[in-house]
């Protein structure tokens, strides 16, 4: 059965376009036009991810995003250039990916393929870290502990691992991690780093250190 993507939109033409794009990439689209539709879809279908079209949605999208994240679903949002405040609220609510309108199909597909990789879970080479880290579709296992991470945070962690011990600037992270770096602000990086730190809070051998005025460093300890 194809992975099901829930499209939350009041724009019928946009939905039909997205459904066509998704079908050609092996996904199945479902439409929701209200918060009640979203709740029904979450209860009745095995959803893979949710795409929120923020333009014209009949209620505040930030609480809806938070509810979806609490259900363990990856969430992407289509946001206009005049929605900077709403975009930040969505990030605080757990948004995985913001996609600027007019929409880039390649960015949408990069997000969806990122949360539904075709490859099986892989282990990073031993030189990448002194402790075993295994990446799966929605989780990372560190020293036997399974941690759920958003796709964008998975990519940030991979990048920091590749540069362990080195300072990574916000600009380097934006260029390496985001499909459309020109739309990303430094504050967005800080929010995602904060969420990674929260996810790693129970681990003594893994942490992200801030180098004031420079960037971030991933730190490991053997014990």
């Amino acid at each position: 059965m194809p992975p099901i993507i829930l499209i939350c939109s009041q724009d019928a033409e946009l939905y039909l376009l997205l459904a066509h794009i998704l079908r050609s990439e092996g996904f199945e689209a479902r439409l929701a036009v209200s918060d009640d539709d979203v709740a029904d879809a979450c209860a009745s279908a095995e959803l893979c991810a949710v795409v929120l079209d923020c333009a014209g949605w009949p209620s505040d999208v930030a609480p809806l995003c938070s509810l979806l994240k609490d259900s363990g679903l990856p969430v992407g949002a289509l946001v206009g250039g005049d929605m900077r405040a709403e975009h930040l609220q969505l990030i605080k609510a757990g948004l995985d990916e913001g996609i600027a309108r007019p929409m880039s199909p390649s960015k949408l597909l990069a997000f969806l393929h990122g949360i539904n990789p075709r490859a099986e879970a892989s282990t990073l080479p031993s030189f990448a870290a002194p402790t075993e880290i295994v990446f799966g579709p929605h989780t990372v296992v560190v020293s036997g502990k399974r941690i759920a991470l958003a796709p964008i945070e998975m990519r940030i962690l991979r990048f920091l691992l590749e540069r362990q011990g080195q300072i990574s600037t916000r600009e380097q992270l934006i260029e390496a991690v985001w499909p459309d770096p020109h739309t990303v602000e430094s504050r967005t990086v800080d929010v995602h780093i904060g969420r990674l730190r929260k996810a790693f809070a129970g681990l003594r051998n893994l942490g992200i250190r801030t180098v004031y005025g420079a960037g971030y460093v991933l730190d490991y300890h053997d014990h």
Side-chain angles (χ1 to χ4, degrees):
M1 184 177 178
I4 300 172
I5 310 298
L6 185 67
I7 308 295
C8 306
S9 179
Q10 298 254 308
D11 186 336
E13 289 186 7
L14 175 67
Y15 169 72
L16 291 172
L17 173 63
L18 290 177
H20 174 73
I21 293 170
L22 294 178
R23 197 176 304 115
S24 69
E25 292 289 323
F27 297 98
E28 178 184 333
R30 296 275 179 90
L31 176 64
V33 298
S34 68
D35 288 1
D36 287 343
D37 278 357
V38 175
D40 289 344
C42 289
S44 63
E46 287 292 326
L47 302 178
C48 175
V50 179
V51 176
L52 293 174
D53 176 19
C54 298
W57 189 252
S59 65
D60 188 354
V61 289
L64 181 60
C65 178
S66 181
L67 183 67
L68 290 166
K69 290 306 300 177
D70 288 344
S71 301
L73 287 166
V75 180
L78 306 181
V79 291
D82 58 345
M83 300 181 67
R84 185 160 294 183
E86 291 90 340
H87 191 186
L88 189 56
Q89 289 301 315
L90 283 166
I91 292 172
K92 290 178 178 178
L95 182 70
D96 298 302
E97 195 85 66
I99 302 166
R101 296 192 68 165
M103 184 197 69
S104 162
S106 61
K107 183 167 185 182
L108 173 65
L109 293 174
F111 161 61
L112 294 177
H113 285 307
I115 54 92
N116 188 55
R118 300 173 190 273
E120 296 297 318
S122 60
T123 304
L124 287 175
S126 58
F127 65 79
T131 186
E132 185 182 37
I133 296 187
V134 180
F135 285 86
H138 306 291
T139 60
V140 60
V141 180
V142 183
S143 300
K145 181 178 179 181
R146 186 176 299 275
I147 301 170
L149 291 180
I152 198 76
E153 279 129 35
M154 288 272 205
R155 298 201 290 270
I156 290 172
L157 178 58
R158 282 185 183 274
F159 182 75
L160 292 174
L161 275 169
E162 291 168 1
R163 294 170 53 82
Q164 61 160 323
Q166 302 178 55
I167 297 172
S168 297
T169 67
R170 292 173 178 82
E171 291 73 21
Q172 286 172 329
L173 281 163
I174 289 170
E175 285 292 333
V177 170
W178 272 267
D180 190 3
H182 302 296
T183 64
V184 182
E185 298 179 350
S186 295
R187 171 65 180 148
T188 304
V189 179
D190 297 337
V191 170
H192 286 293
I193 290 289
R195 285 164 56 184
L196 274 173
R197 283 176 169 153
K198 185 176 180 181
F200 298 156
L203 298 173
R204 296 184 177 182
N205 60 338
L206 177 63
I208 300 173
R209 175 165 49 93
T210 299
V211 180
Y212 183 74
Y216 297 103
V217 176
L218 193 73
D219 285 333
Y220 276 103
H221 305 284
D222 293 331
H223 302 288

